[in-house]
Amino acid sequence: MKPPIDEATRRRRHRNERIAAAIFVLLAGAGVWLFIRWDAREQAEFERNRLYIPKAEKITPEILLLQEYVRIPTITGNERPGAEWLVAQFAKNGVRAELVESVPGRFNVYARIRGKQQGEGLLLLNHIDVVPASEQGWDHPPFSGAIQQNMLYGRGVLDMKGLAVTQLLAFVAVARSGRVPEHDLVFLAVCDEEEGGEEGIVALLEKRPDIFAGIRYSLNEGGLSEVIAERMTYFGIEIGGKQASRVIVSADSLEPLRQARFALQRQTTRREPQRILPEVRALFRKVAPTRARYRKQLSDIDASVRNGTFWELPHSYRELTHDVTLMRWPYEKDGRYQAVVDLFDLPGTSADARIRQLAAELAPFGVRIERVVTRGATAPLSRTDTPLFRRIITLIETTYDTTAGTLILASATNDSRYLRQRGITSYGILPFPVDAFQSASIHRANERVRLDWFVLGVGVMRQLVTGYVFDQPVTESVRTP
């Protein structure tokens, strides 16, 4: 039996725990800033971006369409109004779209244009649902679609209704061209992504395999743009991420859970890599030229490990080389003391082995695994030697005069993982620029997109999609309207 803990010791532990929690939040949030450069000179440049001088607003049909979609509060579980709106938009443009009920009460939208060839189809994937939003902290009501200083505000405008509208308009452009494309083009808007996709894309893969028949590629969310002083300095194309498992753990009181959480947080600051995937090594080399402080370490990451300088890299880079354990804050519910633990593991790590390892790490604290909510399944990273990937690189680099390359998600997931498990090569792209301050608003107050950048992204997506399905070369960039 352990001796009782005196009050001073308890207060000291809680203070240390709060400090560690604050550090952890900063480290976890660093993933958003992966492509921000952190030496003093460039930090000052980044800070200057806080001064936003808006351009004059130019309201276009694309913006009005996005505004209309954002005004529909499609919080997870209430996707039907958004699905019906999408079907109506297709109908206005002479396209038949199907309202698909994946499970009772959960709705998705599917449309297809048949091409001349089979087996090389392109899927435009997006999700209808958005996370909840209280009005606290918002400058405008979250579902108002308000426009101010060349920004459109609203829950879901970035995650992911803005991208969905660019896909919708690209699909309509193909449909209205009057030409039969070389390859099939499919539009699929799904429910339940924000809650894991079990009642959305997972159910559709099981019940409606015809939707995915003949699909080789998918374009989805997950991409990232680095914008410094209104210039895009890197365009990240998401090719995959870590596999995610979630477990519920419990104890006889909150104190053991807090102690376990404090101990697990140390894993977020690993000084040495577990494994460096070839794709991660290539990513580091690609971004190295624009990283003034860490250029040398990133350009040859293996040498950095050998000479002992790997640990100097920010956590957001090191996180891509090891498995991550993220234990949420413990809570009491109905007299039971529990916490949620998320495991984000490198491809190839055994989910079962990781869960067993977690159980062993928790046991000394009197914390046990109560149930496994989801068990991660390995999804291969998408290949980068494909015609579509090369097309994306060429179009983006000519349009934005930037460097484009891969991006690998560290502690986030999306529905692309289910497609990759079934052999569909999936890329995450964000066709319009989004700076760090806008990115930070995702799932938070004042989620917003810049109007002129969004309209530019509409053109990028249209050219990318039409160019692929009609087998057209990338001959020119898309310029600001």
Side-chain angles (χ1 to χ4, degrees), residues 427-443:
Y427 301 120
I429 66 169
L430 192 60
F432 44 86
V434 174
D435 67 27
F437 301 103
Q438 295 162 41
S439 294
S441 70
I442 295 174
H443 287 198

Side-chain angles (χ1 to χ4, degrees), residues 398-453:
T398 55
T399 298
Y400 292 114
D401 188 24
T402 190
T403 298
T406 57
L407 170 68
I408 299 171
L409 298 179
S411 298
T413 59
N414 58 49
D415 282 344
S416 292
R417 65 191 188 275
Y418 301 117
L419 301 180
R420 293 185 178 111
Q421 290 167 7
R422 289 161 175 81
I424 296 175
T425 301
S426 301
Y427 301 120
I429 66 169
L430 192 60
F432 44 86
V434 174
D435 67 27
F437 301 103
Q438 295 162 41
S439 294
S441 70
I442 295 174
H443 287 198
R444 296 179 175 87
N446 285 335
E447 187 176 349
R448 61 198 182 275
V449 66
R450 183 166 148 172
L451 301 185
D452 54 325
W453 286 354

Side-chain angles (χ1 to χ4, degrees), residues 65 69 82-99 108-113 124 126 128 164-176 185-189:
L65 196 68
Y69 193 20
E84 291 176 338
W85 181 85
L86 288 169
V87 170
Q89 301 312 309
F90 280 116
K92 289 178 183 178
N93 288 279
V95 177
R96 179 186 175 276
E98 181 183 353
L99 195 65
N108 313 268
V109 176
Y110 164 57
R112 180 184 287 261
I113 299 172
L124 306 178
N126 60 86
I128 303 168
V165 169
T166 70
Q167 293 179 341
L168 167 68
L169 293 172
F171 188 99
V172 167
V174 174
R176 298 183 65 177
L185 180 62
V186 173
F187 178 96
L188 181 63

Side-chain angles (χ1 to χ4, degrees), residues 18-134:
R18 288 193 297 271
I19 293 171
I23 294 172
F24 177 76
V25 168
L26 290 174
L27 292 175
V32 177
W33 316 106
L34 174 60
F35 298 102
I36 299 301
R37 297 163 284 176
W38 290 111
D39 70 0
R41 176 176 57 82
E42 289 159 330
Q43 176 67 30
E45 183 180 4
F46 172 70
E47 291 297 329
R48 283 198 296 274
N49 283 273
R50 293 183 185 276
L51 178 61
Y52 169 60
I53 303 175
K55 293 184 178 181
E57 297 166 0
K58 182 180 179 181
I59 309 301
T60 66
E62 299 98 326
I63 291 169
L64 293 176
L65 196 68
L66 175 59
Q67 185 181 49
E68 192 175 334
Y69 193 20
V70 168
R71 285 173 173 169
I72 305 172
T74 55
I75 296 169
T76 303
N78 185 46
E79 297 94 352
R80 181 166 190 164
E84 291 176 338
W85 181 85
L86 288 169
V87 170
Q89 301 312 309
F90 280 116
K92 289 178 183 178
N93 288 279
V95 177
R96 179 186 175 276
E98 181 183 353
L99 195 65
V100 182
E101 195 171 12
S102 50
V103 301
R106 307 301 296 275
F107 292 88
N108 313 268
V109 176
Y110 164 57
R112 180 184 287 261
I113 299 172
R114 298 285 179 182
K116 299 176 184 176
Q117 304 178 32
Q118 295 183 350
E120 297 288 316
L122 173 62
L123 167 64
L124 306 178
L125 177 64
N126 60 86
H127 63 84
I128 303 168
D129 62 321
V130 301
V131 298
S134 70

Side-chain angles (χ1 to χ4, degrees), residues 7 16 23-24 27 44 105 133 149 250 281 303 453:
E7 187 59 30
N16 292 341
I23 294 172
F24 177 76
L27 292 175
Q149 294 186 334
S250 62
R281 188 176 289 108
W453 286 354

Side-chain angles (χ1 to χ4, degrees), residues 290-307:
T290 58
R291 293 339 186 241
R293 183 172 180 181
Y294 304 110
R295 183 178 299 133
K296 185 175 181 180
Q297 289 104 317
L298 292 171
S299 60
D300 190 346
I301 196 65
D302 297 300
S304 299
V305 174
R306 289 194 303 270
N307 62 30

Side-chain angles (χ1 to χ4, degrees), residues 450-471:
R450 183 166 148 172
L451 301 185
D452 54 325
W453 286 354
F454 168 72
V455 174
L456 178 57
V458 170
V460 169
M461 182 63 77
R462 181 186 296 116
Q463 183 160 326
L464 175 60
V465 172
T466 57
Y468 174 75
V469 299
F470 289 122
D471 275 347

